[in-house]
Amino acid sequence: METRAQIVLLYASQYEITDESTGEIKRGVTCNYYFRDYFSAKNNDNGSKGMRPAKGSIDFLLMKKIKAAPALYDAQFEMSIGSDGKPVLKVVDLDYVSDVYISAVSEKAPETAGTPEASAEPSAPEAFSASPAEPAQAPSRSGKK
């Protein structure tokens, strides 16, 4: 079963390991990614906080399609059943979409209290921008961009 989804690829690194018992060479790319989401604080049902990135291994030759990280990619996934009987979702192809800029959205400075800018919630694109444009700018401490 195959499906497509956008991911934010955070990290990718090729590896080549020789199995000492068999001499077989295992090659691949270790990668960490988030499914495209707006990065905001989360209180999870199990009591944990935040979002944990997925970690996987992809085909060694897919590294040539990775132009940048962090970056937004259209990913093709294949689902199979692992040796433990649980479903496994594996990235089998990637297409670069755009660079991603992740910036902190800090608290407003006290001197901006009461201004319309201070009471406005920061929009998601200020914290996460997936466009080839300039990096998203977090609101400055003075309340001006």
Side-chain angles (χ1 to χ4, degrees):
M1 176 178 177
E2 291 186 0
T3 188
R4 295 193 73 83
Q6 285 194 328
I7 63 170
V8 176
L9 181 69
L10 300 170
Y11 172 82
S13 177
Q14 285 181 313
Y15 64 85
E16 191 169 304
I17 301 169
T18 303
D19 185 317
E20 292 179 13
S21 61
T22 64
E24 177 185 1
I25 297 174
K26 297 184 181 205
R27 299 171 17 154
V29 175
T30 297
C31 61
N32 296 85
Y33 58 91
Y34 285 113
F35 287 94
R36 184 169 183 185
D37 196 356
Y38 290 102
F39 296 95
S40 61
K42 294 188 190 248
N43 293 318
N44 301 308
D45 291 340
N46 66 1
S48 65
K49 309 280 187 201
M51 300 178 345
R52 177 181 265 180
K55 180 179 179 182
S57 180
I58 62 177
D59 186 84
F60 189 81
L61 297 176
L62 281 178
M63 188 69 171
K64 68 182 178 201
K65 295 184 86 174
I66 298 173
K67 295 181 180 185
L72 184 66
Y73 288 85
D74 281 327
Q76 182 174 340
F77 290 87
E78 184 176 273
M79 190 172 73
S80 61
I81 303 299
S83 59
D84 59 359
K86 295 180 181 177
V88 176
L89 203 54
K90 182 176 179 164
V91 175
V92 293
D93 196 14
L94 289 169
D95 292 310
Y96 173 84
V97 175
S98 69
D99 284 352
V100 168
Y101 301 96
I102 301 169
S103 62
V105 178
S106 62
E107 276 188 48
K108 302 286 184 211
E111 67 270 11
T112 62
T115 65
E117 292 157 332
S119 62
E121 288 292 320
S123 65
E126 288 179 350
F128 170 80
S129 175
S131 68
E134 289 298 310
Q137 295 291 323
S140 69
R141 306 254 326 128
S142 67
K144 296 178 184 172
K145 289 191 180 189

